[in-house]
Amino acid sequence: MSCKFSLKHILYKNLENIILNIANDRITRLTKNKKVEFYLMDSFEIFHYLPIYNALISENIDAKFVCEPPEINTVKKWFDYDTAINILEKLNVKYSKNANPYSRIAFTTQQAGILHKYHGKKINLNYGCGFNKSNFGNTPASTRGFDYKFVHGEYMQKIALSSLNKNQIKIIGYPKHDKYFQNIPSKKEIMGKYNINTTKPILLYYPTWDNDSSIQLFGKEIEKLKQDFFIITKAHHCTFRLKEKKEDLDLLYKISDVVLEGNSEFSDSVVLADIAIIDAKSGSSCEVPYLKDTLPILFLSVQKKLEDYYVSNIFEFGKIINEPEKLIEQIYKIWENDEFISKRKEQIEYYLGIRDAKSTERTIEVIKKILK
């Protein structure tokens, strides 16, 4: 009996040692390395991570993009893998087709479950600000399960406080746009870049891609504006890549003088704009005035009950309409006088952060402290 007990005791002790060794190995691998991975589930994320990646590399911190193919990617078939690979190759950045579970830090713009392969710190990076109540950034799913959340400004910080404490929420601004604020290009320069030649004022149209897209509801009315405006559409990247959105994309080409590709430089479109119409649900509703706070803007929606669908902030931010027959009249009204411009100027940094071209610098300082 004692022999059996001793054998059992030895087996348990060995198992305990094995578990402890595995745990210690994991801790060692997590604390000794300073690897940072940007886990991709959509190619658009590359441009949000890129300035942070470049800054980390310049600091000799081991950073890379992770581009797992759909068969092993945590979002499976959603990932536009081939597009992402092409972009990464053109940018000549470091990337891997497999996640390293022991990377010290892993980033996503989505929910924490995207990073379930990782054992280290999980960070959510904000990539815009939406005014619809169900917007991902306004829900607990955008914060729950993360060690840190990097937000643009105070607005998103207040929302994140429902799931994280203040020490876990870092206000950084908008790293993607640092380059723009360092050297804002001229309209003439960007017109040359895209071979645009017109003497008409340029109207930029920013439609979203899902069931809230204004393309089908407002398209015919927008086309009528071509008489007085040169219409450029900055289409959502999903409108380009999803087969079921072909009808929307075809209509955009019909009603526009130029359609900018989904992953084209966002700030270029804003520089070109003399006036903008933006889907109220789109992140562009904040991002456009963040880059150009003097721009007349009209918001569009397909929702019938606007007050039920949107947070109250948007009604102080700009005129919003949901009736196509009112579009042309409202466009000419805001073209002459957009009464909301001064309010947006006062508020925009509250939503998307300080426009001092130092957002990346702030981000890197936070990452370095986490890596210590």
Side-chain angles (χ1 to χ4, degrees):
M1 194 77 169
S2 61
C3 181
K4 286 183 179 180
F5 176 80
S6 298
L7 181 59
K8 192 175 183 180
H9 179 75
I10 291 168
L11 288 172
Y12 274 127
K13 203 67 181 170
N14 286 341
L15 181 59
E16 185 181 75
N17 288 333
I18 290 170
I19 292 171
L20 283 172
N21 286 337
I22 291 171
N24 289 332
D25 178 62
R26 178 178 288 186
I27 291 167
T28 301
R29 292 171 74 175
L30 282 173
T31 54
K32 284 193 173 181
N33 79 74
K34 293 190 175 184
K35 296 179 186 296
V36 178
E37 293 196 348
F38 301 97
Y39 190 87
L40 298 175
M41 52 73 65
D42 198 308
S43 63
F44 87 89
E45 296 176 302
I46 295 170
F47 303 100
H48 290 271
Y49 296 140
L50 187 61
I52 303 171
Y53 162 85
N54 285 332
L56 289 172
I57 294 297
S58 69
E59 293 272 352
N60 294 315
I61 294 172
D62 188 358
K64 66 181 176 182
F65 294 88
V66 174
C67 192
E68 292 192 324
E71 55 266 25
I72 61 170
N73 195 288
T74 54
V75 294
K76 303 300 180 185
K77 291 182 180 180
W78 174 263
F79 185 30
D80 52 342
Y81 174 74
D82 292 334
T83 301
I85 288 290
N86 288 335
I87 293 170
L88 295 170
E89 289 287 345
K90 286 179 182 177
L91 292 172
N92 194 29
V93 295
K94 289 169 59 179
Y95 73 90
S96 171
K97 294 182 180 180
N98 294 98
N100 175 1
Y102 293 99
S103 291
R104 189 82 169 279
I105 294 173
F107 276 92
T108 184
T109 65
Q110 306 300 306
Q111 64 269 28
I114 298 291
L115 302 177
H116 72 79
K117 297 181 181 182
Y118 290 94
H119 305 305
K121 300 295 184 185
K122 298 177 178 67
I123 301 178
N124 174 276
L125 177 72
N126 256 160
Y127 66 96
C129 176
F131 285 125
N132 56 304
K133 292 178 180 178
S134 60
N135 181 274
F136 174 68
N138 294 337
T139 64
S142 68
T143 52
R144 192 185 294 122
F146 287 102
D147 297 287
Y148 296 95
K149 185 176 178 71
F150 289 4
V151 300
H152 303 301
E154 292 180 39
Y155 177 73
M156 297 307 296
Q157 181 194 51
K158 287 183 178 179
I159 292 171
L161 282 170
S162 65
S163 301
L164 299 173
N165 65 57
K166 201 166 185 178
N167 291 332
Q168 294 174 288
I169 307 163
K170 307 298 180 181
I171 295 178
I172 60 169
Y174 213 141
K176 187 180 80 167
H177 294 307
D178 278 353
K179 184 180 177 182
Y180 168 82
F181 286 114
Q182 287 164 2
N183 183 24
I184 299 175
S186 68
K187 181 178 175 181
K188 182 179 178 181
E189 179 184 341
I190 302 302
M191 287 179 72
K193 179 177 176 178
Y194 293 97
N195 296 314
I196 294 169
N197 186 16
T198 183
T199 56
K200 292 180 181 179
I202 294 177
L203 184 151
L204 256 293
Y205 176 36
Y206 297 87
T208 192
W209 67 278
D210 58 10
N211 293 333
D212 276 272
S213 173
S214 63
I215 296 169
Q216 295 297 328
L217 184 62
F218 284 87
K220 289 181 180 178
E221 293 302 306
I222 292 171
E223 186 176 18
K224 294 176 184 178
L225 292 166
K226 290 175 82 170
Q227 181 178 341
D228 294 321
F229 295 94
F230 188 87
I231 298 178
I232 299 176
T233 296
K234 177 70 171 75
H236 194 282
H237 66 280
C238 286
T239 307
F240 280 95
R241 75 181 185 88
L242 299 177
K243 292 179 181 178
E244 61 267 30
K245 295 299 171 182
K246 185 180 184 303
E247 188 178 345
D248 282 358
L249 189 59
D250 288 344
L251 183 56
L252 288 180
Y253 279 111
K254 182 176 182 290
I255 69 175
S256 310
D257 293 291
V258 172
V259 176
L260 298 175
E261 192 271 324
N263 280 322
S264 61
E265 192 74 45
F266 188 89
S267 58
D268 285 352
S269 65
V270 180
V271 171
L272 289 168
D274 295 303
I275 186 170
I277 48 179
I278 304 172
D279 279 1
K281 182 184 176 181
S282 171
S284 302
S285 57
C286 264
E287 198 169 357
V288 171
Y290 178 72
L291 297 175
K292 196 173 188 175
D293 59 17
T294 59
L295 191 68
I297 293 172
L298 177 66
F299 296 122
L300 307 182
S301 178
V302 300
Q303 298 296 324
K304 292 182 179 179
K305 296 182 178 180
L306 300 177
E307 290 79 10
D308 292 344
Y309 192 75
Y310 298 99
V311 296
S312 59
N313 308 63
I314 195 168
F315 303 105
E316 299 177 359
F317 213 59
K319 178 69 177 178
I320 176 171
I321 63 169
N322 55 5
E323 299 168 284
E325 62 272 18
K326 293 184 178 180
L327 174 69
I328 293 175
E329 176 192 357
Q330 290 298 328
I331 280 291
Y332 288 107
K333 275 188 177 180
I334 67 162
W335 178 239
E336 293 199 9
N337 176 35
D338 182 353
E339 59 184 324
F340 291 92
I341 285 179
S342 59
K343 187 68 174 177
R344 287 197 296 271
K345 280 185 176 182
E346 293 173 7
Q347 290 289 312
I348 194 60
E349 291 189 353
Y350 170 70
Y351 294 105
L352 290 188
I354 301 171
R355 295 172 286 183
D356 59 358
K358 293 183 179 179
S359 297
T360 305
E361 186 179 319
R362 282 189 287 274
T363 307
I364 299 306
E365 286 307 306
V366 174
I367 293 173
K368 285 164 70 175
K369 287 179 182 178
I370 296 171
L371 289 174
K372 279 185 178 179

